[in-house]
Amino acid sequence: MALRSGGSFLYYSRVWVSAVVPLLGPVEGGTRLTVLGAPFREAATLRCRFDERSKTVTARHVGAGQLECATPAQSGSGARAVEVSLNAQQFSTSGVAFTYVPTVALSSVWPSRGASEGGTAVTVHGSGLTALSEQLGYLQCRFNSTVVQASAASGASAVCNSSSATGIVSVEVSSNGRDFTSSGVQFELVRVVLSEVVPWAGPDLGGTLVTLTGSGIGAVSPLSLDCRFGELEPVSASVHGGSEGRC
């Protein structure tokens, strides 16, 4: 005898994962991970799993080819296969990996101040600043809300050019372009105003020692102070006191 009811069961095509963005994140978890693949459907039972032994996490449906989920914490670094399920039971078997890396930390920056016009080469010191993140284009510094790329990663340091602003800004770093530190390290951007140039002229062969007077000169790191004459290449300047520089 056949039972009559309003229940139904949906058969769906096998789901698969083609890529994840970003490719890495901290072991503490919490990275907002974009999962690409198909064919995804809206469902309360959408799940992501990071290797067969891990707990599943809820996924959010973005479109037929995209989901989002937050990475769970892991006990150690290394690659984990990311799989998805529409019914929280059967998972894909695509083998696309997400790599857990040590959590990035920021302890200090040098120099501690630069010109408000930006462009000061700032060395950030900490841990987890890897060459791999730099190669992937993930290694970034953030000055308040302005994000810039970082380079010259050594694990314990990296270099990024300061943004343009005036005053004290917070500096944070990220190894995956999404998860930034919350270190509270600060950098001061100083406005430099030039009021006098002595002497006012010199031969076109160059070599004249020019003294600059103005406000904010002494507050800028000597290594980030340059002079530029017209459209010529900048030359290094030295700081002498709070309001004088020479180049």
Side-chain angles (χ1 to χ4, degrees):
M1 180 178 68
L3 295 177
R4 295 181 179 273
S5 72
S8 62
F9 184 85
L10 173 69
Y11 286 91
Y12 54 78
S13 301
R14 182 177 181 181
V15 296
W16 50 275
V17 176
S18 60
V20 295
V21 180
L23 293 172
L24 51 83
V27 292
E28 65 186 9
T31 299
R32 180 173 56 85
L33 188 69
T34 298
V35 181
L36 304 177
F40 301 144
R41 300 172 60 94
E42 186 88 50
T45 51
L46 279 175
R47 298 290 186 271
C48 292
R49 187 180 68 187
F50 294 74
D51 83 31
E52 293 183 1
R53 299 181 302 278
S54 73
K55 294 181 180 179
T56 63
V57 295
T58 301
R60 184 176 74 88
H61 182 262
V62 178
Q66 183 176 332
L67 302 176
E68 281 187 353
C69 54
T71 62
Q74 297 285 341
S75 59
S77 303
R80 305 287 192 278
V82 180
E83 307 297 352
V84 298
S85 173
L86 301 189
N87 66 0
Q89 292 188 33
Q90 284 82 35
F91 283 82
S92 59
T93 56
S94 304
V96 173
F98 175 82
T99 300
Y100 281 91
V101 296
T103 302
V104 176
L106 177 62
S107 58
S108 64
V109 298
W110 191 90
S112 60
R113 58 175 62 95
S116 61
E117 290 79 6
T120 299
V122 179
T123 300
V124 294
H125 297 278
S127 61
L129 304 168
T130 66
L132 174 59
S133 291
E134 181 183 347
Q135 292 166 7
L136 292 171
Y138 290 162
L139 193 61
Q140 297 176 342
C141 295
R142 187 175 66 194
F143 295 85
N144 277 354
S145 59
T146 303
V147 176
V148 298
Q149 292 297 125
S151 60
S154 68
S157 67
V159 177
C160 47
N161 291 330
S162 64
S163 61
S164 60
T166 301
I168 295 175
V169 299
S170 65
V171 183
E172 306 297 347
V173 294
S174 173
S175 65
N176 66 0
R178 292 198 177 180
D179 304 301
F180 283 84
T181 56
S182 54
S183 65
V185 172
Q186 295 180 326
F187 181 77
E188 184 177 8
L189 290 153
V190 180
R191 180 172 171 78
V192 178
V193 178
L194 189 62
S195 59
E196 185 179 17
V197 177
V198 177
W200 61 270
D204 57 9
L205 294 177
T208 301
L209 180 63
V210 178
T211 299
L212 314 171
T213 304
S215 62
I217 292 177
V220 178
S221 167
L223 293 182
S224 62
L225 187 65
D226 292 329
C227 297
R228 186 174 67 189
F229 296 83
E231 299 302 320
L232 299 177
E233 289 295 316
V235 295
S236 296
S238 58
V239 174
H240 300 268
S243 60
E244 184 177 295
R246 296 172 189 167
C247 52

